Amino acid sequence: MGEEFHHGVVMREYDPNRDRERVEEVERICEVGPSGKLCIFTDLLGDPICRVRHSPSFLMLVAEIGDEIVGMIRGCIKTITCGKKLSRNTKHSNTSNTGNSNRHLPVYAKVAYILGLRVSPSHRRMGIGLKLVHRMEAWFRDNGAEYSYMATENDNLASVKLFTDKCGYTKFRTPSILVNPVFAHRLTLSPKVKIIHLTPSQAETIYRRRFATTEFFPRDIDAVLNNKLSIGTFLAVPDSATWQGTDHFLSDPPKSWAILSIWNSKELFTLQVRGASRVKRTLAKTTRVVDKALPFLRLPSFPDFFRPFGFHFMYGIGGEGPEAVKMVKSLCDFAHNVAKERDCGAVVTEVSGQEPLRFGIPHWKMLSCPEDLWCIKRLGEDYSDGSVGDWTKSPPGISIFVDPREV
């Protein structure tokens, strides 16, 4: 049974057997973008709860009036890094990509994430969205979450106003979403870079030792790397380097190196660009025809984004050394070729706006979002470690670790 409030709206937990088709219909009618702009629309594959079910703890709520679903919200809870503290025992401490963080240990917090808030256009301005957020936050608190955060487009004024003015959230981080098309031809990889496919165990060791103090790093990184949607983790080193295992790499790394992992978002949902004129569609098709007929020219053709397409998400991007940016570029080119083999239309990632390695990540500005907006709220007073204080007031770090389960 659900909880009823004014206007006869009932809030209850999502039931896939009775709600799936009605929820998908609300998703479709809510996907209305601004006039005259290229807009990306989401088409979920399988159960609508799939976008959170890979998290340790998750919930989806719906709002209904009679037999009609008029709104829904998804949420998940996990333990992530919210800061770092000095270690009293440097010998066994974790390290991160700062180069000198072997004296620091991560400070973890139980954090909740809100996504997929939708209210049917015909039932807006009735307080349904606000009620859904409050119900989800109550579930967060009941399950011990210390913070709640959400992501939205910086220019989505309605969403920003709801969370900041009515729900008590504050603007927290502004990462960049970078999107690169997958072309009709394979990209040529640098012969000066060797790419090593790591096992999940090897990848976990490197991530925990080098990136555990990075903001938003998931404590259950092993669950992410071993998930069926994780295609793999890849390490780029100079061609002259030899791979002798993670212990040797961590104790004596090459002068420059980089790492990233790939997540198969194509299995969860597809995207589609709408709002383009016939002229733009024709020009895009022409680039594909020329690229396919003359692949040796390696022209940057525009994929068919006007029909539903899948994508891969790159996460855990990091590295060190004077050639780290070039190493990241090689890994991104490799990820492009992997996506081409799997018939994806794009490769996507999200990084901090201050991330120095972003200069090695190829992307098209017309498809990317230079400023995504993350807002955060403190839910409780109890903290796993008192050395951080109020995380909502902390300054941004150089890097963030974006969990692919929340994309």
Side-chain angles (χ1 to χ4, degrees):
M1 295 293 293
E3 174 189 344
E4 182 175 347
F5 75 114
H6 66 292
H7 301 297
V9 182
V10 174
M11 303 282 176
R12 61 172 174 81
E13 189 170 341
Y14 167 76
D15 181 348
N17 295 322
R18 57 186 288 204
D19 299 333
R20 176 173 170 176
E21 292 184 1
R22 293 184 295 166
V23 164
E24 289 174 345
E25 177 60 26
V26 176
E27 290 275 5
R28 282 191 291 269
I29 64 177
C30 286
E31 295 282 18
V32 179
S35 176
K37 292 181 67 177
L38 287 180
C39 306
I40 293 183
F41 292 73
T42 303
D43 183 19
L44 294 173
L45 301 175
D47 196 328
I49 203 172
C50 66
R51 291 188 67 183
V52 290
R53 70 164 61 256
H54 294 280
S55 298
S57 184
F58 60 88
L59 177 69
M60 182 171 176
L61 299 172
V62 297
E64 67 177 350
I65 300 178
D67 293 331
E68 182 182 5
I69 299 289
V70 297
M72 61 270 196
I73 191 172
R74 303 176 185 91
C76 56
I77 302 174
K78 61 181 180 177
T79 301
I80 62 175
T81 297
C82 65
K84 58 187 177 182
K85 62 181 179 180
L86 286 173
S87 170
R88 295 181 180 179
N89 184 358
T90 61
K91 182 178 180 180
H92 299 292
S93 63
N94 291 328
T95 60
S96 73
N97 55 341
T98 58
N100 61 354
S101 58
N102 59 333
R103 290 175 294 178
H104 290 94
L105 289 174
V107 174
Y108 292 110
K110 200 170 186 179
V111 178
Y113 179 62
I114 292 177
L115 75 162
L117 175 61
R118 298 283 189 272
V119 176
S120 174
S122 60
H123 291 82
R124 291 173 183 170
R125 302 184 183 277
M126 295 171 57
I128 295 174
L130 181 61
K131 187 66 175 180
L132 283 167
V133 173
H134 286 167
R135 279 290 304 274
M136 184 61 73
E137 288 180 345
W139 179 76
F140 290 161
R141 290 188 178 93
D142 289 344
N143 286 273
E146 303 163 45
Y147 297 93
S148 172
Y149 77 104
M150 51 77 68
T152 187
E153 296 85 358
N154 205 21
D155 57 358
N156 188 340
L157 300 182
S159 179
V160 174
K161 187 174 182 179
L162 169 65
F163 280 92
T164 58
D165 291 359
K166 297 182 178 181
C167 298
Y169 287 70
T170 57
K171 296 180 181 180
F172 190 56
R173 301 290 183 257
T174 53
S176 300
I177 300 174
L178 307 179
V179 182
N180 201 45
V182 174
F183 307 124
H185 60 271
R186 290 175 57 85
L187 300 182
T188 302
L189 304 182
S190 171
K192 297 182 179 180
V193 177
K194 179 187 299 183
I195 295 179
I196 301 165
H197 187 177
L198 302 175
T199 66
S201 177
Q202 292 171 333
E204 178 188 355
T205 300
I206 293 176
Y207 277 131
R208 290 196 187 279
R209 292 283 299 278
R210 291 284 178 172
F211 299 93
T213 58
T214 302
E215 200 173 44
F216 292 94
F217 179 85
R219 193 171 192 172
D220 65 336
I221 185 64
D222 55 319
V224 179
L225 298 170
N226 285 285
N227 191 287
K228 64 180 181 179
L229 295 178
S230 187
I231 293 174
T233 301
F234 304 91
L235 179 71
V237 297
D239 183 56
S240 58
T242 57
W243 175 251
Q244 300 180 44
T246 53
D247 289 341
H248 181 269
F249 171 80
L250 291 167
S251 63
D252 186 22
K255 189 174 182 180
S256 296
W257 59 273
I259 189 172
L260 66 73
S261 300
I262 305 175
W263 184 265
N264 188 10
S265 297
K266 181 183 177 182
E267 298 300 317
L268 297 178
F269 54 91
T270 60
L271 302 178
Q272 183 178 357
V273 176
R274 299 179 186 173
S277 66
R278 182 175 297 180
V279 172
K280 290 181 179 179
R281 289 171 178 264
T282 301
L283 288 174
K285 184 176 181 179
T286 300
T287 65
R288 294 194 299 273
V289 171
V290 174
D291 191 8
K292 189 172 183 178
L294 304 171
F296 58 89
L297 294 179
R298 301 193 176 278
L299 300 174
S301 59
F302 197 98
D304 190 359
F305 285 166
F306 311 113
R307 294 188 295 178
F309 65 91
F311 70 96
H312 284 171
F313 186 80
M314 301 184 300
Y315 67 100
I317 298 175
E320 292 181 359
E323 301 294 316
V325 170
K326 292 182 179 179
M327 297 283 181
V328 168
K329 172 63 166 58
S330 292
L331 286 173
C332 290
D333 289 347
F334 176 83
H336 168 281
N337 293 344
V338 172
K340 174 176 168 49
E341 292 172 1
R342 292 171 174 257
D343 197 28
C344 286
V347 179
V348 182
T349 192
E350 187 166 14
V351 296
S352 167
Q354 303 180 59
E355 174 60 65
L357 297 179
R358 64 180 296 170
F359 297 106
I361 303 173
H363 62 280
W364 281 17
K365 290 184 178 180
M366 71 174 69
L367 299 173
S368 302
C369 174
E371 267 201 4
D372 197 21
L373 176 62
W374 292 7
C375 298
I376 195 169
K377 177 179 180 177
R378 188 178 184 181
L379 296 177
E381 299 298 329
D382 295 326
Y383 293 88
S384 56
D385 190 292
S387 63
V388 173
D390 188 353
W391 186 29
T392 66
K393 295 179 172 60
S394 65
I398 294 177
S399 303
I400 58 174
F401 197 104
V402 180
D403 192 329
R405 296 172 296 187
E406 298 174 357
V407 176

